[in-house]
Amino acid sequence: MPQSTTSARKWNTRRIEKKRRIDSVRSMCDGKILATDDIIPALEKLIAPHDRVVMEGNNQKQADFLSRSLAAVNPEKLHDLHMVMPSVGRSEHLDLFEKGIAKKLDFAFSGPQSLRISQLVEDGLLDIGAIHTYIELYARLYVDLIPNVALVAGFKADKKGNLYTGASTEDTPALVEAAAFKDGIVIAQVNELVDDEDDLPRVDIPGSWIDFIVVADQPFFIEPLFTRDPRLIKPIHILMGMMAIKGIYAKHNIQSLNHGIGFNTAAIELLLPTYGEQLGLKGKICKHWTLNPHPTLIPAIESGWVETVHCFGGELGMENYISQRPDVFFTGADGSMRSNRTMCQLAGQYAADMFIGSTLQCDADGNSSTVTRGRISGFGGAPNMGHDPHGRRHATPAWLDLIQEPTPLSRGRKLVVQAVETHQAGNKPTFVDKLDAIDVAKQAGMPLAPVMIYGDDVSHMLTEEGIAYLYMAKSEQERRDMIAAVAGITDIGMRISRERVSQLRAEGKVVYPEDLGIRRSDATRSLLAAGSISELVECSGGLYQPPAKFRSW
Amino acid sequence: MPQSTTSARKWNTRRIEKKRRIDSVRSMCDGKILATDDIIPALEKLIAPHDRVVMEGNNQKQADFLSRSLAAVNPEKLHDLHMVMPSVGRSEHLDLFEKGIAKKLDFAFSGPQSLRISQLVEDGLLDIGAIHTYIELYARLYVDLIPNVALVAGFKADKKGNLYTGASTEDTPALVEAAAFKDGIVIAQVNELVDDEDDLPRVDIPGSWIDFIVVADQPFFIEPLFTRDPRLIKPIHILMGMMAIKGIYAKHNIQSLNHGIGFNTAAIELLLPTYGEQLGLKGKICKHWTLNPHPTLIPAIESGWVETVHCFGGELGMENYISQRPDVFFTGADGSMRSNRTMCQLAGQYAADMFIGSTLQCDADGNSSTVTRGRISGFGGAPNMGHDPHGRRHATPAWLDLIQEPTPLSRGRKLVVQAVETHQAGNKPTFVDKLDAIDVAKQAGMPLAPVMIYGDDVSHMLTEEGIAYLYMAKSEQERRDMIAAVAGITDIGMRISRERVSQLRAEGKVVYPEDLGIRRSDATRSLLAAGSISELVECSGGLYQPPAKFRSW
């Protein structure tokens, strides 16, 4: 009984509408090139009210000429847009909502704008669709958040629309593909227009995916988010780094890994060529990295620790260094880096032995959040890295090493390491009975508390007190005891008896520095392979060129 | 204490080696174009012994000219290659090992070649690196399996190397990017060479990523793997399909989903426009799909059930139909489909409410495997779809609906539905005490039993007996009881008492057809929206053009 096929349904409404819009701006463009001065009226014609608009809005690279221009359209012409943005980082991103140009927001991260988002929600000017991790957001672009328009940024383009993103390719391919192949309109701002493909360093995105190129009024904004000044690394970070290297990296034979962006992990990067070398670990661990190009990794690279690094995005100042280290980094034939957040997140999730990161708050069960009162800051990428992907099937020694009771059906486990000091700045305890995230969720009407990493996904808890090997816990209560054993002088840490701690140490479930043969007094800054930004520059042979704000000389 | 930078280490060895190899074939090529007849000597120069070589080897599309040519090189010149292949599907893939050209294999799937792989392992001719899911394998290309050479297939290319993959883009972008941006050599076989980019329908992969184009001696091989003939759908599949629609899809408000490729799910696709319509569900459920273009989805598309479909790959015969349904499918400006396995796997994992698939064997705890004795068949994509991704943070109604005991920190859960008949062909029970996979792992020396989906990830077990809502189980024992309650006349099914079943049904943890108001006698083939391939063709208005082997008229 076949269904009737005589329905009058049109099956190409998106394609017809796209053509209509493109035809409507013919007078403003020369082929695919939109005139810079016409961008505002062009956006008013190329976008329609209630459209779903992807704005790049990345972690680092910003299509800021396009976002500033969109914020300047006439709200009577363009209103109720549904913005889909990996990162909401600039004030004009929220001006869109204040002016009524946009109404709904799906996003992944909103660092500096998080307070204002909360305020706009409260004022009824902004509806949150959902808060995602980066790859969830990309994934939904292909399912139920398919864009009508994508606004992205690149370095250069030719007249056919072939786009060179520069080293910070980041999210651009994932954002563009979803629009380009569902009859959406793709507009790319560039710093420079060239005549021909041969004038481009390389092509990151083919011209046939891109509808319009516009030369921006100024180069796109990009921020150095992953530069940590070694001068700010404290002995406590060094102590924790030594424990991590000996008690986790070496113990489990970590070959591939992802580091968070805190000072704890920066310390580890700077300890590998010194303390790691003393332990005879060079060439044995930490060979393959999924990581932004952290300047603090330079000494480990120069001393031969690091075989490969695949990057989510770029880092300002690292461009020349990377282009001179193509055996280590992913670069194009032109020499500049190719980053790709989708593939790097995938690699961090499915091809890495370990993720290690920091957090601001952690409860007695190990649930953690970086959310603090009044802020809706989003998830970024940490939850994807910071969980044990049950979809993984290939085995590595580290992954297998976490099996506690081998049975024919046991599987391995990814190492997810929380590295936290027991107290934050101002002597505020990191370990708390209730995460602030719970109240934030209640206030903001969120369906779930914004937990960054759930306790059941954490395999190791590392503090300045010691390491709790949580994957060894036989019960939830033992897990809590192990966390308490490294929680120091906090309410949670003080609930456990000395006897219980001794027992956990005797069973090897918790280790303190002395159990690892590490003297607290040895944890000094002299162990760092570089003690300052200028020493990183020196170590790079002058190839690393830090942005002005990190220069003190 | 900065590290010395005076090491004599070279940092561009891959780039230099790539240039050397490319220079060595200058006499055989015109720009990027390799002569078809020179392919064997060219491969002998462009590849070196012990290289890591990616071969496409997809689920459907095969770079078979290149694989046949590689199998014909002189093993004294080229040997001990490390092959990295998503799918090992052709006999020459294994001839490589028999001849000593290759030695090590990392792969994801090996359907028809699985027996021979086992034999080669036993004979010491083939070392397995690891068996992966597709996205794990792609991920490792960026971490510790970075290729020296990638051999891929496309439809057309121009002289600059710009590649049009055709509708079956599949894995190609993920494979090429890893080689192109790490100074690997990328060689693409094409069916047709054109002069200029303007002669290509569109560009799927930019020419600057590709080093060599070679016109194949015949068009690349591609297989229709996802076509299920409705004539083979039995009443038992229809009964299960009715239960699924009413007792799972409607109950949990499923908006986005992925279907496996069995007859059970084909039945569901063909029941939506009939039984689903009767239930008043049209426009309410099943709107967004991550799916290969199953022909059995045509009636649901034509009757307006399906808003969007994003595809892993293509399906032979569906090309014209897809190009006339761009509001539903992802297509290029040229009209042909763009598939992308990486993004579709990501979407299936992070943007879908539900995965439903079948299996061959299932144990009392719900662990399942498609592995049978003597075969190493790999994982493909099911484990990624068929698990609850703990890295997910955004909420949907279906995902939240699986929360049993709401607490401030509870999270939702992806629906993972196992749809199995209690017995396979030949009256072999599906439910067994011990999976064959356990012995296969032991024999083959695998570090883990090849479990396709682990029981703890399964939220629903569906058989012709009923549905077990496993996510409601309060203990592992209750979970086992619930599975036994739907396991029918198998050893496992017969272990549970009638009283316990009644209790589980009374608690709503297990439902039988009558509990859902479904009469077994209503489950007849007349409910199918199309009963044969020819009815599918008719339903498509003649746009679906099935391959000859599916034509009976």
Side-chain angles (χ1 to χ4, degrees):
Chain A
M1 185 185 56
Q3 293 292 299
S4 158
T5 58
T6 55
S7 80
R9 176 166 172 193
K10 288 207 179 70
W11 298 96
N12 58 352
T13 59
R14 289 177 65 96
R15 183 160 295 176
I16 288 169
E17 173 64 9
K18 175 173 177 172
K19 186 174 179 305
R20 186 195 66 73
R21 294 188 193 182
I22 289 178
D23 286 344
S24 76
V25 297
R26 288 276 177 235
S27 66
M28 298 176 191
C29 56
D30 176 12
K32 291 189 171 184
I33 312 305
L34 277 170
T36 306
D37 291 341
D38 287 337
I39 188 65
I40 294 169
L43 291 176
E44 288 172 344
K45 285 174 179 290
L46 290 170
I47 309 177
H50 300 282
D51 266 5
R52 203 177 283 133
V53 178
V54 166
M55 170 81 74
E56 184 178 15
N58 279 0
N59 204 335
Q60 299 185 277
K61 182 169 52 130
Q62 304 286 340
D64 58 326
F65 172 61
L66 291 171
S67 56
R68 280 184 279 116
S69 301
L70 187 60
V73 301
N74 181 345
E76 291 185 10
K77 293 184 182 169
L78 270 194
H79 48 84
D80 294 297
L81 299 182
H82 177 178
M83 303 304 298
V84 183
M85 304 180 59
S87 183
V88 182
R90 298 178 55 77
S91 62
E92 73 263 18
H93 292 163
L94 295 180
D95 295 346
L96 291 170
F97 295 89
E98 219 154 68
K99 294 182 179 178
I101 297 165
K103 178 68 179 164
K104 190 171 176 185
L105 175 64
D106 275 275
F107 71 107
F109 184 70
S110 73
Q113 300 297 334
S114 52
L115 261 179
R116 198 169 152 213
I117 289 184
S118 307
Q119 195 54 53
L120 285 166
V121 170
E122 208 168 298
D123 296 347
L125 293 170
L126 189 158
D127 299 336
I128 291 180
I131 310 178
H132 307 74
T133 65
Y134 291 124
I135 53 175
E136 284 172 66
L137 191 66
Y138 310 152
R140 290 191 69 190
L141 296 179
Y142 297 80
V143 180
D144 60 349
L145 291 181
I146 295 171
N148 301 98
V149 177
L151 305 173
V152 302
F155 230 82
K156 297 182 183 191
D158 69 13
K159 289 184 173 172
K160 286 184 170 173
N162 289 302
L163 189 69
Y164 167 61
T165 59
S168 206
T169 307
E170 286 196 89
D171 313 13
T172 319
L175 306 181
V176 170
E177 180 165 346
F181 291 99
K182 205 70 195 328
D183 291 320
I185 293 173
V186 179
I187 308 173
Q189 72 168 68
V190 294
N191 300 345
E192 189 186 340
L193 180 71
V194 301
D195 273 337
D196 190 75
E197 191 184 322
D198 295 334
D199 302 322
L200 292 173
R202 68 173 188 246
V203 177
D204 286 294
I205 296 181
S208 67
W209 301 20
I210 290 182
D211 299 299
F212 294 104
I213 296 289
V214 58
V215 177
D217 56 355
Q218 58 189 61
F220 61 72
F221 180 78
I222 186 162
E223 234 185 326
L225 290 174
F226 304 100
T227 299
R228 294 289 167 266
D229 188 334
R231 282 181 308 177
L232 303 177
I233 295 173
K234 297 173 193 161
I236 192 174
H237 302 132
I238 294 163
L239 175 65
M240 289 169 65
M242 294 167 76
M243 285 195 277
I245 291 171
K246 195 163 182 186
I248 301 175
Y249 292 38
K251 173 184 169 77
H252 299 296
N253 191 9
I254 300 298
Q255 298 296 310
S256 51
L257 69 163
N258 168 259
H259 269 189
I261 59 170
F263 285 101
N264 284 310
T265 42
I268 294 171
E269 290 154 18
L270 292 168
L271 287 170
L272 288 174
T274 55
Y275 182 67
E277 182 96 30
Q278 287 168 26
L279 297 176
L281 297 171
K282 183 170 153 182
K284 295 186 182 153
I285 60 166
C286 298
K287 290 190 271 194
H288 305 287
W289 298 67
T290 58
L291 196 75
N292 281 296
H294 293 182
T296 40
L297 198 62
I298 291 171
I301 294 171
E302 293 301 304
S303 54
W305 275 75
V306 175
E307 284 186 21
T308 63
V309 182
H310 187 258
C311 297
F312 305 96
E315 183 66 359
L316 275 181
M318 287 289 281
E319 296 85 350
N320 275 343
Y321 178 73
I322 290 166
S323 73
Q324 297 303 310
R325 298 291 180 268
D327 281 352
V328 174
F329 291 96
F330 282 69
T331 61
D334 60 304
S336 67
M337 185 171 72
R338 164 91 173 184
S339 57
N340 184 329
R341 196 178 311 281
T342 308
M343 294 313 299
C344 198
Q345 284 282 350
L346 214 57
Q349 178 170 313
Y350 277 115
D353 287 332
M354 183 187 76
F355 163 80
I356 177 170
S358 287
T359 192
L360 295 181
Q361 275 192 339
C362 194
D363 72 12
D365 291 306
N367 300 299
S368 66
S369 179
T370 53
V371 165
T372 50
R373 294 187 194 282
R375 290 180 185 271
I376 301 179
S377 57
F379 295 110
N384 299 120
M385 305 288 179
H387 81 285
D388 177 38
H390 285 194
R392 173 170 167 167
R393 291 296 178 271
H394 77 275
T396 60
W399 189 77
L400 292 172
D401 201 40
L402 262 56
I403 294 176
Q404 282 304 286
E405 291 172 13
T407 70
L409 289 174
S410 50
R411 49 183 161 182
R413 182 169 169 177
K414 180 177 183 178
L415 277 85
V416 175
V417 183
Q418 280 282 14
V420 290
E421 298 148 69
T422 57
H423 292 77
Q424 302 291 314
N427 214 26
K428 228 178 131 179
T430 303
F431 292 91
V432 295
D433 278 312
K434 183 180 167 193
L435 298 177
D436 285 355
I438 291 174
D439 289 336
V440 169
K442 226 177 269 173
Q443 281 161 22
M446 296 165 71
L448 293 171
V451 172
M452 191 62 86
I453 299 184
Y454 286 92
D456 54 0
D457 276 319
V458 180
S459 63
H460 296 69
M461 182 73 69
L462 166 66
T463 73
E464 75 273 19
E465 298 293 327
I467 302 170
Y469 297 105
L470 302 182
Y471 67 95
M472 298 174 78
K474 298 245 186 275
S475 68
E476 287 185 26
Q477 183 54 51
E478 184 170 77
R479 211 160 176 290
R480 277 189 288 269
D481 288 351
M482 289 164 73
I483 291 172
V486 297
I489 314 293
T490 61
D491 286 352
I492 287 172
M494 289 188 296
R495 276 182 212 147
I496 188 168
S497 70
R498 286 191 180 202
E499 293 69 32
R500 181 73 178 120
V501 172
S502 300
Q503 188 188 5
L504 290 169
R505 287 173 69 183
E507 292 173 4
K509 291 179 176 172
V510 167
V511 294
Y512 282 2
E514 49 270 38
D515 302 326
L516 290 166
I518 294 171
R519 283 187 298 188
R520 288 172 191 265
S521 57
D522 285 347
T524 63
R525 282 183 43 87
S526 66
L527 267 181
L528 296 176
S532 64
I533 294 281
S534 75
E535 288 189 359
L536 290 174
V537 173
E538 193 183 329
C539 184
S540 77
L543 292 169
Y544 171 45
Q545 297 164 315
K549 72 176 186 182
F550 292 105
R551 292 170 186 268
S552 55
W553 57 95
Chain B
M1 181 186 62
Q3 293 291 300
S4 159
T5 58
T6 54
S7 81
R9 176 167 170 191
K10 287 206 178 71
W11 298 96
N12 59 351
T13 58
R14 289 176 66 95
R15 184 161 295 177
I16 289 170
E17 173 64 8
K18 175 174 178 172
K19 184 172 181 307
R20 185 194 67 72
R21 294 189 194 182
I22 288 178
D23 286 344
S24 75
V25 297
R26 289 273 177 235
S27 65
M28 299 177 191
C29 55
D30 175 13
K32 291 188 170 185
I33 313 304
L34 276 171
T36 307
D37 291 341
D38 288 337
I39 188 65
I40 295 170
L43 291 177
E44 287 173 345
K45 285 175 178 292
L46 290 171
I47 308 177
H50 300 282
D51 266 5
R52 203 178 284 135
V53 178
V54 167
M55 170 81 74
E56 183 179 16
N58 278 0
N59 204 337
Q60 301 186 276
K61 182 171 51 135
Q62 302 286 341
D64 59 326
F65 173 62
L66 291 171
S67 57
R68 281 184 279 115
S69 302
L70 186 61
V73 301
N74 181 346
E76 290 185 10
K77 292 184 183 169
L78 269 194
H79 48 84
D80 294 297
L81 299 182
H82 177 179
M83 303 303 296
V84 182
M85 303 180 60
S87 183
V88 183
R90 298 178 55 78
S91 62
E92 74 262 18
H93 292 165
L94 295 180
D95 294 346
L96 291 170
F97 295 88
E98 218 154 70
K99 293 182 180 177
I101 297 166
K103 178 68 180 163
K104 189 171 176 184
L105 175 64
D106 275 273
F107 71 108
F109 184 70
S110 73
Q113 300 297 335
S114 52
L115 261 178
R116 196 167 154 216
I117 289 184
S118 306
Q119 195 55 54
L120 286 165
V121 169
E122 208 167 298
D123 296 347
L125 292 170
L126 189 158
D127 299 336
I128 290 180
I131 310 178
H132 307 75
T133 65
Y134 290 124
I135 52 174
E136 283 170 63
L137 190 66
Y138 310 152
R140 290 190 68 190
L141 296 178
Y142 298 80
V143 180
D144 59 349
L145 291 181
I146 295 170
N148 301 99
V149 177
L151 306 173
V152 301
F155 230 82
K156 297 182 181 189
D158 69 12
K159 290 184 171 169
K160 286 185 170 171
N162 290 302
L163 189 69
Y164 167 61
T165 58
S168 206
T169 307
E170 286 196 88
D171 313 13
T172 320
L175 306 181
V176 170
E177 180 165 346
F181 291 99
K182 203 71 195 327
D183 290 320
I185 293 174
V186 180
I187 308 173
Q189 71 169 67
V190 294
N191 300 346
E192 189 188 339
L193 181 70
V194 299
D195 274 337
D196 190 76
E197 191 185 322
D198 295 335
D199 303 321
L200 292 173
R202 67 170 189 247
V203 177
D204 286 295
I205 295 180
S208 67
W209 301 21
I210 290 182
D211 300 298
F212 295 103
I213 296 290
V214 60
V215 178
D217 56 355
Q218 57 188 63
F220 60 74
F221 180 79
I222 185 163
E223 235 185 326
L225 289 174
F226 303 99
T227 299
R228 294 289 167 267
D229 189 336
R231 283 182 309 179
L232 303 176
I233 295 174
K234 297 174 192 160
I236 192 174
H237 302 131
I238 293 164
L239 175 66
M240 288 169 66
M242 293 167 76
M243 285 195 277
I245 291 171
K246 195 162 181 185
I248 301 175
Y249 292 37
K251 175 186 168 77
H252 299 296
N253 191 9
I254 300 298
Q255 299 297 310
S256 51
L257 68 165
N258 169 259
H259 270 191
I261 59 168
F263 286 100
N264 285 310
T265 42
I268 295 171
E269 290 155 18
L270 291 169
L271 287 170
L272 288 175
T274 56
Y275 181 66
E277 182 96 30
Q278 286 169 27
L279 296 176
L281 296 170
K282 184 170 152 183
K284 295 187 182 153
I285 60 165
C286 298
K287 292 190 272 192
H288 305 285
W289 298 67
T290 58
L291 196 77
N292 281 295
H294 293 182
T296 40
L297 198 61
I298 291 171
I301 293 171
E302 293 301 304
S303 55
W305 275 76
V306 175
E307 285 185 21
T308 63
V309 182
H310 187 258
C311 298
F312 305 96
E315 182 66 0
L316 275 181
M318 288 288 281
E319 297 84 349
N320 275 344
Y321 178 73
I322 291 166
S323 73
Q324 297 303 310
R325 297 291 179 268
D327 280 352
V328 174
F329 291 96
F330 282 70
T331 61
D334 61 304
S336 68
M337 187 171 72
R338 163 91 175 184
S339 58
N340 185 329
R341 197 179 308 283
T342 308
M343 293 314 298
C344 198
Q345 285 282 350
L346 214 56
Q349 179 168 312
Y350 276 115
D353 286 333
M354 185 187 75
F355 164 81
I356 176 169
S358 288
T359 191
L360 296 181
Q361 274 192 341
C362 194
D363 72 13
D365 291 307
N367 300 298
S368 66
S369 180
T370 53
V371 165
T372 50
R373 293 185 195 284
R375 291 181 185 270
I376 300 179
S377 58
F379 295 109
N384 299 121
M385 304 290 180
H387 83 284
D388 176 38
H390 285 195
R392 173 169 168 168
R393 292 295 179 271
H394 77 276
T396 59
W399 189 77
L400 291 172
D401 201 41
L402 262 57
I403 294 177
Q404 283 302 287
E405 291 173 11
T407 69
L409 289 174
S410 51
R411 50 183 161 184
R413 182 168 167 178
K414 181 178 184 178
L415 276 85
V416 174
V417 183
Q418 281 282 12
V420 290
E421 297 148 69
T422 57
H423 292 76
Q424 302 291 314
N427 213 27
K428 226 177 131 182
T430 303
F431 292 90
V432 296
D433 278 313
K434 184 179 167 192
L435 298 176
D436 285 356
I438 291 173
D439 288 337
V440 168
K442 225 177 269 172
Q443 280 161 23
M446 294 164 72
L448 292 172
V451 172
M452 192 61 87
I453 298 184
Y454 285 91
D456 55 359
D457 275 321
V458 180
S459 63
H460 297 68
M461 181 73 70
L462 165 66
T463 73
E464 74 275 20
E465 299 292 329
I467 303 169
Y469 296 105
L470 302 182
Y471 67 94
M472 297 173 79
K474 298 244 185 275
S475 68
E476 287 185 25
Q477 184 54 51
E478 184 169 75
R479 211 158 177 288
R480 279 190 286 269
D481 288 351
M482 291 165 72
I483 291 172
V486 297
I489 315 293
T490 61
D491 287 350
I492 286 172
M494 290 188 295
R495 273 179 215 150
I496 189 167
S497 69
R498 287 191 180 203
E499 293 68 33
R500 180 73 178 120
V501 172
S502 301
Q503 187 187 7
L504 290 169
R505 288 172 69 184
E507 292 174 4
K509 291 180 176 172
V510 167
V511 295
Y512 282 3
E514 48 271 38
D515 303 327
L516 290 167
I518 294 171
R519 283 187 300 187
R520 288 173 191 264
S521 57
D522 286 346
T524 63
R525 283 183 42 84
S526 65
L527 267 182
L528 296 176
S532 65
I533 293 282
S534 74
E535 288 189 359
L536 290 174
V537 172
E538 195 184 325
C539 185
S540 76
L543 292 169
Y544 171 45
Q545 298 165 315
K549 71 176 186 180
F550 292 105
R551 293 169 187 265
S552 55
W553 56 92

